Amino acid sequence: MSHVLLAALLVASSTATAQVPAGGTPPPAPAEAAKQSLNGEEWSEEYPEEKRKLEVFTLDGYFRLRPTLFYKFDLGKVPGQEIFPAVSPRRGENTQSFATMRLRLDPTFNVSEQVKIKLQVDGLDNVVFGSTPDTLYPGDQRNIFTVFSEDQESLGDTLSDSIKLRRAYGEVNTPVGILRFGRMGSHWGLGMLRNDGNCFDCDFGDTVDRVQFVTEPFAGWYVTPMLDFNSEGTFYKGGAEGEPVDLTQADDAHSWVLAIARRDTDAQIRSKLENNQGVLQYGLHFTWRSQNYDNVKDADGALTGGFIPRDANLYIPDLWLRYEERNWRLEFELAAVLGKIGNRALTTGDATFDQSLTVAQFGGVAQGEVKVADNKLTLGLELGFASGDKAPGFGNYPGRQGSGTNGYTNPGDVEGRQYRCDNGGCSDSAIRNFRFNRDYRIDLILWRELIGGVTDAFYVRPSVKYAVAPGIDLYGRLIYSQALYAESTPSFVSKSLGVEVNAGVDYTTEDGFIAGIAYGILFPMGGLQAYTDALKADLETPHSIRGWLGVKF
């Protein structure tokens, strides 16, 4: 026993006099050193560690349920002229009602105080209530009539719906900044162009394979260089358990990104606002993306193993500014997508391989709000625009086939390519329609459901919100939308798209419960009429009711 005490005294003496080497780490505390020297668990109580234990695992996320009702989303049009892509297959049926759910988990593994691994996992992602009865599974022969089904698990929901690992990345705090690497969300400013989809009612979200480094050279100034791997093109998967290999760098599409921002922390913002000070934040997010070659596809869309000299370059500046005081706020985001695609060919059937396309897209949002009546009443105004051109169709989904030759759009088409080229040349060689992120939502019906995102238009949205009680808010919005070019609308002759009214109530509690309901009604205008019936027949008025129940943690 005397030897043990002597050893402990020697260790304690040595650690008390040890010096920390320059740039190194301090020696272990006496208790920890004693445990290392003697390898005895009995010392853990006699010499407890003073350092707080690291919380190895933390978990955030939410569970949501969203009941929804759509009414007359076909606008009363004849079959084949509908705008909404999911009109009921039973003609004469005006109502569609359903409910979806999602469990989102955002776990963090704290390897140490400086090293973390962060994940995002979705379970039952937007699975429709009642969509997986046992009768859908051929191997389950218990029921042949769906009306007898009482089990939603026999089909297994498929792995893609049951559980989806969306993001996984490492985070390391270094003395000069934060290093992140892996698959992560991408967000900037108001989320008009880049939106990580982390809001409670979001459905999409931008996910990128990225390496980034966040540094703060001056207090409040953040400089973040990033490298995004947008597409690696052709690669060899190897054996059943082998490492995949990228066969060539020629067909890769990479983005070099630099973000510079002047920002305050949340605590600094709260402190300034509470002391009646203004808060100014702003930044620039700039991307250069390039691709030299692209994979050749056949008429059916299958890869042929050949390459097209794409010679594409995009330059994407995105400017954001926000100024706020205790009772009011102004916020702006302006972005552009500029560049050139040297070769527009998509398949081996394209006879010409040297037709280039110009990319020139612009978009912006301006928001303002003021709080009155002891901050219970909030009055807001939002203006937004997205550039477009006279090509038929909105251009949110250029992969859809138009009614014209070779899949190009004709007057009256809702969607399709925003350029037009054939063997004789390009009558329209520019892509000008700016597309808002699909998770940047301004309404319940027109842009969210019917068209699928703001593009080739401008809108004006005044709003009002009233805090009835702590956690209970009533709100209303009026949205007027108009296309920039009549040729882009289904009518081909009218710019006016419609006026929409939204109203709802939100309820939240301090322990994470969320509930609400919203109602929307759209008064469609001439731009949404069919080309063959333009400005002749009145369109029916669609309605929407959307509710939500959820728990945030």
Side-chain angles (χ1 to χ4, degrees):
M1 183 64 181
S2 60
H3 296 292
V4 174
L5 292 176
L6 179 59
L9 289 173
L10 289 174
V11 171
S13 175
S14 64
T15 54
T17 58
Q19 299 295 318
V20 179
T25 58
E32 185 63 27
K35 286 196 294 182
Q36 291 174 358
S37 300
L38 302 175
N39 195 25
E41 294 295 329
E42 66 271 16
W43 291 94
S44 61
E45 293 184 3
E46 194 167 353
Y47 294 92
E49 294 181 357
E50 295 181 0
K51 184 178 179 181
R52 180 181 61 85
K53 289 185 178 181
L54 181 69
E55 193 172 1
V56 176
F57 177 79
T58 59
L59 182 63
D60 299 301
Y62 63 79
F63 176 76
R64 75 182 184 197
L65 170 66
R66 296 188 303 183
T68 303
L69 183 144
F70 296 155
Y71 179 68
K72 291 187 177 180
F73 269 41
D74 61 359
L75 304 181
K77 293 187 176 185
V78 300
Q81 294 182 348
E82 306 96 335
I83 299 176
F84 189 55
V87 173
S88 171
R90 295 184 66 249
R91 302 308 309 172
E93 187 175 57
N94 293 319
T95 302
Q96 297 159 282
S97 60
F98 55 95
T100 61
M101 57 182 162
R102 169 193 280 173
L103 173 65
R104 170 158 291 178
L105 303 176
D106 292 308
T108 298
F109 296 90
N110 297 292
V111 180
S112 70
E113 290 185 342
Q114 287 75 37
V115 180
K116 303 177 181 179
I117 297 176
K118 296 186 176 182
L119 309 176
Q120 185 170 93
V121 182
D122 284 347
L124 300 175
D125 188 22
N126 274 345
V127 170
V128 177
F129 263 29
S131 62
T132 57
D134 52 18
T135 51
L136 290 181
Y137 182 50
D140 189 340
Q141 300 177 353
R142 179 173 174 81
N143 295 316
I144 60 173
F145 296 106
T146 307
V147 71
F148 289 115
S149 176
E150 295 183 4
D151 186 5
Q152 292 291 325
E153 296 184 357
S154 292
L155 184 62
D157 295 335
T158 73
L159 287 177
S160 62
D161 289 334
S162 295
I163 184 168
K164 181 190 301 181
L165 179 59
R166 299 187 72 242
R167 296 166 185 170
Y169 63 96
E171 180 177 290
V172 182
N173 290 318
T174 75
V176 292
I178 301 175
L179 173 66
R180 296 190 180 101
F181 50 95
R183 179 163 293 187
M184 64 191 74
S186 178
H187 194 96
W188 176 258
L190 287 165
M192 174 193 72
L193 182 60
R194 295 172 180 84
N195 195 308
D196 58 15
N198 282 337
C199 71
F200 181 78
D201 194 34
C202 289
D203 289 309
F204 302 98
D206 293 336
T207 298
V208 295
D209 292 339
R210 168 177 290 175
V211 178
Q212 73 170 198
F213 189 78
V214 184
T215 184
E216 188 180 7
F218 307 102
W221 284 90
Y222 297 90
V223 178
T224 308
M226 293 167 266
L227 173 60
D228 291 354
F229 296 78
N230 303 99
S231 174
E232 287 300 288
T234 304
F235 63 93
Y236 173 64
K237 294 184 178 180
E241 299 179 358
E243 179 183 15
V245 177
D246 182 19
L247 294 181
T248 174
Q249 274 62 61
D251 60 352
D252 295 352
H254 292 161
S255 295
W256 297 90
V257 187
L258 179 64
I260 302 175
R262 169 65 180 90
R263 305 192 66 169
D264 291 322
T265 65
D266 291 341
Q268 290 172 331
I269 293 174
R270 287 193 299 268
S271 177
K272 289 183 178 181
L273 295 180
E274 289 172 358
N275 289 280
N276 294 320
Q277 295 178 321
V279 180
L280 176 63
Q281 303 179 92
Y282 50 90
L284 174 65
H285 188 288
F286 182 82
T287 301
W288 171 49
R289 184 177 304 156
S290 64
Q291 184 182 30
N292 293 327
Y293 287 83
D294 202 352
N295 304 113
V296 176
K297 300 177 182 179
D298 59 22
D300 297 325
L303 296 177
T304 64
F307 297 93
I308 296 174
R310 184 66 68 204
D311 190 22
N313 287 277
L314 294 180
Y315 305 90
I316 311 173
D318 191 335
L319 180 65
W320 165 76
L321 184 145
R322 175 186 176 117
Y323 181 80
E324 60 183 319
E325 294 193 5
R326 191 168 187 173
N327 297 322
W328 60 277
R329 173 183 64 89
L330 289 174
E331 193 163 1
F332 306 88
E333 184 174 354
L334 297 172
V337 182
L338 309 171
K340 188 174 183 179
I341 299 175
N343 190 329
R344 61 91 189 168
L346 295 175
T347 70
T348 54
D350 290 323
T352 304
F353 285 80
D354 58 357
Q355 295 169 334
S356 64
L357 300 175
T358 300
V359 181
Q361 305 169 346
F362 305 88
V365 169
Q367 292 183 354
E369 66 176 22
V370 58
K371 298 179 180 179
V372 296
D374 296 328
N375 290 337
K376 289 187 175 181
L377 181 65
T378 302
L379 304 177
L381 178 65
E382 177 172 326
L383 308 175
F385 80 95
S387 63
D389 57 28
K390 295 183 179 182
F394 288 105
N396 259 323
Y397 300 95
R400 295 180 183 174
Q401 294 292 307
S403 63
T405 305
N406 296 325
Y408 292 110
T409 56
N410 278 337
D413 287 344
V414 178
E415 279 297 344
R417 303 174 193 171
Q418 294 296 284
Y419 62 92
R420 193 179 190 96
C421 298
D422 53 34
N423 294 338
C426 294
S427 58
D428 181 359
S429 61
I431 303 175
R432 303 183 185 277
N433 67 302
F434 185 91
R435 297 182 296 177
F436 276 34
N437 191 284
R438 290 177 293 178
D439 271 329
Y440 189 88
R441 293 170 174 153
I442 65 170
D443 57 21
L444 292 175
I445 301 178
L446 179 63
W447 296 110
R448 175 168 179 163
E449 302 293 349
L450 297 186
I451 300 179
V454 179
T455 186
D456 202 343
F458 75 88
Y459 66 88
V460 181
R461 190 185 77 163
S463 62
V464 59
K465 183 175 68 174
Y466 184 73
V468 179
I472 303 178
D473 293 330
L474 295 174
Y475 62 87
R477 305 182 185 111
L478 179 71
I479 307 101
Y480 171 75
S481 302
Q482 178 174 307
L484 297 184
Y485 297 95
E487 292 85 349
S488 300
T489 71
S491 72
F492 201 69
V493 295
S494 175
K495 297 180 181 179
S496 300
L497 298 176
V499 174
E500 183 171 335
V501 179
N502 297 163
V505 56
D506 285 329
Y507 174 62
T508 59
T509 66
E510 293 182 355
D511 54 0
F513 176 66
I514 300 173
I517 188 170
Y519 168 75
I521 179 172
L522 171 65
F523 300 96
M525 294 183 174
L528 295 180
Q529 291 179 334
Y531 176 57
T532 54
D533 299 324
L535 306 181
K536 295 180 181 179
D538 292 332
L539 297 173
E540 293 188 351
T541 302
H543 304 252
S544 174
I545 298 176
R546 184 179 290 274
W548 53 92
L549 296 169
V551 177
K552 278 190 174 183
F553 52 89

